[in-house]
Amino acid sequence: MIKKIFLSVLFIGLIQSANSQILISIIFGDKLNSEGMEFGLDGGVNFSQVSGMESNQFATNLHLGFYFDIRLKNQWNLNTGVLVKSSQGAAELSKNDVKALYPDLSTYVDSGSYSQALGYFNVPIMIKYKFKNHWFLEAGPQLALLMNARLQYEHSYDNIELNTSVKNRGAFNRIDFGLIGGMGYKLRKGTGMNIGIKYYYGLVDISKSSGLNNTNRVLYLKIDIPIGKEKSK
């Protein structure tokens, strides 16, 4: 059941982000798999916060990309790739949070909820250790490029839904950097998909406003699906 849910999430994400990188990955996946390297799709759900804000609510989003698992020596591997679609941010912002992010914006008087959406292009570079029982640990740095940012407002009243947003990428630095680590399990006795969890701890202030010290915090629930691995064998 869990496997079907993860696959459904990935399928929906794949439809929404059908770009050239992902399509090329699927078409040529068997060419990229070899005895010393595994290639495939990396996707799932993430829960994110931005430190330095009054809000402590998690924003829930999907992420999708591709990965390379390169054998180094014995049970050590290099795990890298790109999260082409990685939405994160913060939910249930206070009006002080909104003013800090967008000083010129007039906040709505009515009740409603604000959230900050951040779209990144993430590149993790992790050292991975595979245990003989098919569990693994991985950790390393992650570099990210901010592609888009939106401050969103949602309000419901008398069966009427109000959703609006303003772009505010200019309020944030383009580059983010931090540390990421996690653990997981490889199915089918070490030959199938990877399911796992990892956590990102940002080290760079993402806000251009001085003194806020806003850094990204993201918890990922992921599934890695090898593409063309059986065919390459």
Side-chain angles (χ1 to χ4, degrees):
M1 182 64 182
I2 295 176
K3 181 178 176 181
K4 290 182 179 179
I5 293 174
F6 269 115
L7 287 174
S8 299
V9 169
L10 280 178
F11 182 70
I12 293 171
L14 182 59
I15 293 176
Q16 293 178 339
S17 58
N19 50 58
S20 59
Q21 293 99 327
I22 299 298
L23 291 177
I24 290 172
S25 301
I26 294 173
I27 294 171
F28 297 104
D30 58 303
K31 304 294 190 302
L32 297 173
N33 271 290
S34 66
E35 190 66 28
M37 182 174 71
E38 179 179 292
F39 168 81
L41 292 181
D42 176 6
V45 182
N46 65 68
F47 307 91
S48 61
Q49 291 178 312
V50 177
S51 72
M53 291 186 173
E54 293 181 358
S55 169
N56 58 3
Q57 299 296 312
F58 288 95
T60 304
N61 291 285
L62 301 178
H63 59 271
L64 181 66
F66 52 88
Y67 72 94
F68 292 93
D69 203 356
I70 304 168
R71 182 181 299 172
L72 297 177
K73 185 178 181 181
N74 298 330
Q75 292 163 266
W76 294 95
N77 284 47
L78 173 66
N79 184 268
T80 186
V82 178
L83 288 183
V84 180
K85 297 293 183 181
S86 180
S87 298
Q88 54 197 64
E92 301 294 336
L93 302 182
S94 69
K95 290 193 176 182
N96 289 332
D97 292 334
V98 175
K99 282 296 185 181
L101 292 171
Y102 211 119
D104 298 328
L105 182 70
S106 297
T107 56
Y108 289 93
V109 177
D110 296 333
S111 60
S113 62
Y114 290 90
S115 61
Q116 177 65 54
L118 300 168
Y120 281 97
F121 195 80
N122 290 326
V123 181
I125 304 173
M126 297 182 289
I127 295 298
K128 182 176 184 179
Y129 184 81
K130 296 182 178 180
F131 295 94
K132 293 182 180 180
N133 59 1
H134 312 309
W135 286 90
F136 61 84
L137 296 175
E138 54 188 1
Q142 177 170 287
L143 182 67
L145 176 66
L146 181 66
M147 305 303 294
N148 55 73
R150 298 186 316 278
L151 183 63
Q152 302 175 149
Y153 174 76
E154 297 181 3
H155 179 55
S156 299
Y157 177 74
D158 195 21
N159 295 324
I160 297 176
E161 297 285 339
L162 172 62
N163 296 286
T164 186
S165 66
V166 291
K167 296 180 180 180
N168 64 339
R169 192 178 73 175
F172 298 93
N173 295 312
R174 293 297 301 274
I175 302 298
D176 185 29
F177 176 80
L179 301 175
I180 189 167
M183 61 180 296
Y185 183 80
K186 194 165 185 63
L187 303 176
R188 293 182 59 190
K189 298 182 179 180
T191 62
M193 298 184 297
N194 299 311
I195 56 174
I197 183 171
K198 57 184 180 179
Y199 184 74
Y200 174 74
Y201 186 91
L203 300 176
V204 176
D205 191 346
I206 62 173
S207 176
K208 288 184 177 179
S209 299
S210 61
L212 294 181
N213 194 26
N214 296 140
T215 55
N216 283 313
R217 304 283 189 268
V218 190
L219 177 67
Y220 295 91
L221 300 180
K222 68 163 188 172
I223 180 169
D224 296 339
I225 303 177
I227 300 297
K229 186 174 182 180
E230 294 300 325
K231 184 178 178 181
S232 67
K233 289 183 179 180

